[in-house]
Amino acid sequence: MAAAAARGVRLLLRPRRYPLLSCPLRTSPRLLCIATQQKSTGQNLEDYQSQNEPKAEASSAEKIFIEEKAKLEEQLKEMTDKYKRALADTENLRQRSQKLVEEAKLYGIQSFCKDLLEVADVLEKATESVPKEELKDENPHLKNLYDGLVMTEVQIQKVFKKHGLLKLNPVGAKFDPYEHEALFHAPMEGKEPGSIALVSKVGYKLHGRTLRPALVGVVKEV
């Protein structure tokens, strides 16, 4: 009984052989090639995607950066242009204002000077109307009056010159329409055509600007 039991246990513990499972599997070369290609393609695709995804993201970000940079540069250019124009306008306004102030200082007395010119004309006519042969010691009152008129005329011309008002007596000068006003044209022997032969009324200039043109007679060709 014991021997039979021991033999039964050995039979149970003995390894069994299964012909279908123990025989080696034969793999087709074509199947191996396809599997290898699929495996290789899968790895390469994953590698390609993993490599190109950051590049695509970087390219998109770079494009956005370039566009933003171009917009900022355009805005900067526009603001710089506006700033320069504003500076130019401000400088032009400052220069015009300064010029107006200077002209106001120079020509602010223009109306006053015009009124004084009439006084100077009266003094000049008064001195010219006195006969020179009557200016003798036997006639001291007339002589003193004449001397007083001459001194007054000289003094008023000094005041005019001090304030930039100059007298124009252009006898023999070339006719200038900006400084002279022609009363008549007449031929005269020995005189150059276009020159001034006679001054009926002297003119005046205030700081280089004609305040009153001289009234003249102009020589014309025969």
Side-chain angles (χ1 to χ4, degrees), residues 148-193:
L149 290 174
V150 172
M151 291 175 63
T152 304
E153 184 181 6
V154 171
Q155 186 61 32
I156 198 171
Q157 291 298 328
K158 287 182 179 179
V159 174
F160 285 172
K161 188 175 181 180
K162 179 181 178 181
H163 293 279
L165 188 61
L166 301 178
K167 188 176 182 179
L168 296 177
N169 192 6
V171 177
K174 198 74 174 176
F175 177 76
D176 186 354
Y178 295 102
E179 297 181 358
H180 314 137
E181 182 178 344
L183 296 177
F184 61 89
H185 293 78
M188 293 184 182
E189 294 183 0
K191 299 289 184 178
E192 182 182 357

Side-chain angles (χ1 to χ4, degrees), residues 75-118:
Q75 292 178 0
L76 177 61
K77 183 179 179 181
E78 183 178 355
M79 293 299 295
T80 303
D81 185 59
K82 290 182 178 179
Y83 175 70
K84 290 180 179 180
R85 289 184 180 181
L87 283 181
D89 292 339
T90 304
E91 180 63 19
N92 292 335
L93 179 61
R94 186 191 67 80
Q95 292 179 359
R96 286 196 298 267
S97 301
Q98 184 178 359
K99 185 178 180 180
L100 289 175
V101 171
E102 292 176 354
E103 288 182 353
K105 290 180 180 179
L106 292 176
Y107 305 109
I109 59 173
Q110 183 171 329
S111 298
F112 180 66
C113 289
K114 283 184 176 180
D115 295 336
L116 286 180
L117 294 183
E118 300 299 329

Side-chain angles (χ1 to χ4, degrees), residues 15-161:
R16 297 180 180 180
R17 294 183 179 179
Y18 300 93
L20 294 177
L21 295 177
S22 61
C23 63
L25 295 175
R26 294 183 180 181
T27 305
S28 173
R30 182 178 179 183
L31 293 177
L32 289 175
C33 181
I34 293 173
T36 304
Q37 288 179 355
Q38 290 178 350
K39 183 177 180 181
S40 176
T41 304
Q43 289 180 351
N44 292 337
L45 180 60
E46 291 177 358
D47 293 342
Y48 177 79
Q49 290 178 348
S50 62
Q51 291 176 2
N52 286 341
E53 282 180 359
K55 290 182 180 180
E57 293 178 358
S59 177
S60 178
E62 184 178 358
K63 184 177 180 181
I64 295 173
F65 174 76
I66 292 174
E67 291 177 354
E68 291 295 329
K69 180 183 177 183
K71 290 180 181 179
L72 292 176
E73 288 178 350
E74 185 67 23
Q75 292 178 0
L76 177 61
K77 183 179 179 181
E78 183 178 355
M79 293 299 295
T80 303
D81 185 59
K82 290 182 178 179
Y83 175 70
K84 290 180 179 180
R85 289 184 180 181
L87 283 181
D89 292 339
T90 304
E91 180 63 19
N92 292 335
L93 179 61
R94 186 191 67 80
Q95 292 179 359
R96 286 196 298 267
S97 301
Q98 184 178 359
K99 185 178 180 180
L100 289 175
V101 171
E102 292 176 354
E103 288 182 353
K105 290 180 180 179
L106 292 176
Y107 305 109
I109 59 173
Q110 183 171 329
S111 298
F112 180 66
C113 289
K114 283 184 176 180
D115 295 336
L116 286 180
L117 294 183
E118 300 299 329
V119 178
D121 292 338
V122 171
L123 287 173
E124 185 178 2
K125 289 180 180 179
T127 55
E128 290 177 353
S129 63
V130 176
K132 301 300 186 289
E133 60 273 8
E134 297 293 333
L135 299 175
K136 299 178 181 178
D137 294 336
E138 292 81 7
N139 197 356
H141 298 290
L142 181 61
K143 187 176 185 300
N144 292 335
L145 179 60
Y146 176 80
D147 292 340
L149 290 174
V150 172
M151 291 175 63
T152 304
E153 184 181 6
V154 171
Q155 186 61 32
I156 198 171
Q157 291 298 328
K158 287 182 179 179
V159 174
F160 285 172
K161 188 175 181 180

